[in-house]
Amino acid sequence: MALKQISSNRCFGGLQKVFEHDSVELKCKMRFAVYLPPQAESGKCPALYWLSGLTCTEQNFISKSGFQQAASEHGLVVIAPDTSPRGCNIKGEDDSWDFGTGAGFYVNATEDPWKTNYRMYSYVTEELPQLINANFPVDPQRMSIFGHSMGGHGALICALKNPGKYKSVSAFAPICNPVLCPWGKKAFSGYLGPDQSKWKAYDATSLVTSYSGSQIDILIDQGKDDEFLSNGQLLPDNFIAACTEKKIPVVFRLQEGYDHSYYFIATFITDHIRHHAKYLNA
């Protein structure tokens, strides 16, 4: 699969790059960012995947979170894909900010007209890792995942649906129970259809209740002043209750005074990189 380099910038001794490729799953051109730490020049490094939230591209995380310093220190290759297919000329794809373009919700759509292109779940869990493993100095056996908001939802479901695939998982302000929140109901009814029993396959809280895989430690940071927490979009309490019942360890940190923005992410990103490095470099 041919990769076209879009940009490359030296950063904390490593290189922050952006590439474009033709996606088989999504049937369109896709961009992703990859940070190569200095350690990647002399050997294979673990891979850490970041999934962004609504309206984002690959640019938001690499330009706003400041993750590169910690990734350089711990020798992690960090990959950040886009949040949806782009330019597919599907009627309605650009009509709203929380559905369609920039809002793929990390599911494989089953409904027309979305099912041909909107296959972000398979892109993130299969196509992209295969592409990264084939083209960059990463160890395919050492892989973890994290994300923010819609991407936090994505990270949680990818880890829970694939026991053992990811060494660790974490999230910032994830959409924990999308089958019950307005964002999730809108996205799932559009991508997956009216049968709500099918939605549960992409709902972290539902997935926890049936999880029987290998031990996984989950770290979640949530801003206490997050407007989407107070208006019922995120529902972390439901997820924590399900984890407690299943005895799945989750560290949930409610951060006083913080909102839903990248200022919040930048404040705690180093803690998350360390969380993953503990498992990836073990």
Side-chain angles (χ1 to χ4, degrees), residues 1 3 24 47 61 86 120 132 160 186 191 206 241:
M1 184 70 66
L3 293 180
V24 176
F61 180 65
R86 302 257 168 195
M120 285 299 291
I132 297 298
L160 292 166
K186 178 177 179 177
Y191 296 136
S206 302

Side-chain angles (χ1 to χ4, degrees), residues 54-92:
L54 289 162
T55 75
C56 290
T57 69
E58 80 290 340
Q59 287 293 321
N60 301 68
F61 180 65
I62 66 173
S63 59
K64 292 181 176 180
S65 73
F67 79 89
Q68 290 94 342
Q69 185 169 8
S72 170
E73 184 184 325
H74 292 283
L76 305 183
V77 171
V78 181
I79 303 100
D82 203 346
T83 52
S84 77
R86 302 257 168 195
C88 296
N89 299 314
I90 300 170
K91 190 176 188 306

Side-chain angles (χ1 to χ4, degrees), residues 42-60:
S42 56
K44 291 191 172 184
C45 298
L48 177 56
Y49 288 80
W50 168 269
L51 304 182
S52 288
L54 289 162
T55 75
C56 290
T57 69
E58 80 290 340
Q59 287 293 321
N60 301 68

Side-chain angles (χ1 to χ4, degrees), residues 15 103 108 111 113-114 139 211 228:
L15 289 166
N108 285 346
E111 298 298 296
W114 311 100
D139 176 355
Y211 185 79
F228 302 115

Side-chain angles (χ1 to χ4, degrees), residues 4-280:
K4 177 186 175 187
Q5 183 169 291
I6 303 297
S7 63
S8 180
N9 301 92
R10 178 68 66 184
C11 190
F12 290 102
L15 289 166
Q16 179 62 67
K17 294 174 176 277
V18 174
F19 290 90
E20 186 176 80
H21 73 110
D22 291 310
S23 168
V24 176
E25 285 287 355
L26 309 179
K27 297 176 178 59
C28 67
K29 285 192 185 305
M30 288 294 285
R31 289 189 177 188
F32 64 87
V34 58
Y35 178 72
L36 300 168
Q39 295 88 334
E41 291 175 20
S42 56
K44 291 191 172 184
C45 298
L48 177 56
Y49 288 80
W50 168 269
L51 304 182
S52 288
L54 289 162
T55 75
C56 290
T57 69
E58 80 290 340
Q59 287 293 321
N60 301 68
F61 180 65
I62 66 173
S63 59
K64 292 181 176 180
S65 73
F67 79 89
Q68 290 94 342
Q69 185 169 8
S72 170
E73 184 184 325
H74 292 283
L76 305 183
V77 171
V78 181
I79 303 100
D82 203 346
T83 52
S84 77
R86 302 257 168 195
C88 296
N89 299 314
I90 300 170
K91 190 176 188 306
E93 68 183 354
D94 296 323
D95 287 0
S96 57
W97 65 275
D98 56 359
F99 185 80
T101 302
F105 265 86
Y106 305 104
V107 303
N108 285 346
T110 54
E111 298 298 296
D112 288 322
W114 311 100
K115 65 183 183 185
T116 301
N117 304 97
Y118 278 69
R119 296 180 52 79
M120 285 299 291
Y121 174 73
S122 286
Y123 178 72
V124 162
T125 58
E126 295 170 28
E127 182 180 1
L128 187 59
Q130 287 166 12
L131 196 64
I132 297 298
N133 294 345
N135 290 279
F136 299 97
V138 297
D139 176 355
Q141 302 306 313
R142 291 187 292 160
M143 181 163 75
S144 289
I145 193 164
F146 65 153
H148 169 234
S149 194
M150 175 183 75
H153 141 77
L156 291 173
I157 65 166
C158 287
L160 292 166
K161 285 167 75 70
N162 297 278
K165 187 180 182 83
Y166 301 98
K167 299 288 186 192
S168 50
V169 60
S170 73
F172 292 86
I175 302 170
C176 289
N177 201 181
V179 301
L180 294 181
C181 80
W183 279 338
K185 288 176 180 176
K186 178 177 179 177
F188 287 3
S189 59
Y191 296 136
L192 304 174
D195 181 357
Q196 296 193 15
S197 66
K198 291 178 181 170
W199 299 4
K200 291 180 179 178
Y202 295 104
D203 180 278
T205 301
S206 302
L207 289 166
V208 160
T209 60
S210 58
Y211 185 79
S212 59
S214 53
Q215 172 80 42
I216 190 162
D217 286 350
I218 302 167
L219 169 64
I220 295 175
D221 271 315
Q222 171 64 59
K224 195 172 181 182
D225 289 1
D226 186 331
E227 62 181 301
F228 302 115
L229 176 66
S230 54
N231 72 9
Q233 294 282 20
L234 307 178
L235 305 173
D237 292 351
N238 297 359
F239 182 73
I240 294 159
C243 285
T244 303
E245 195 170 312
K246 287 288 286 189
K247 297 186 168 54
I248 292 173
V250 55
V251 173
F252 179 79
R253 308 192 306 185
L254 193 60
Q255 304 290 4
E256 190 79 43
Y258 285 91
D259 58 18
H260 198 72
S261 72
Y262 265 91
Y263 297 110
F264 158 61
I265 295 170
T267 303
F268 300 106
I269 193 70
T270 299
D271 289 353
H272 285 247
I273 298 281
R274 282 193 196 123
H275 168 77
H276 295 292
K278 182 171 71 177
Y279 295 95
L280 291 169

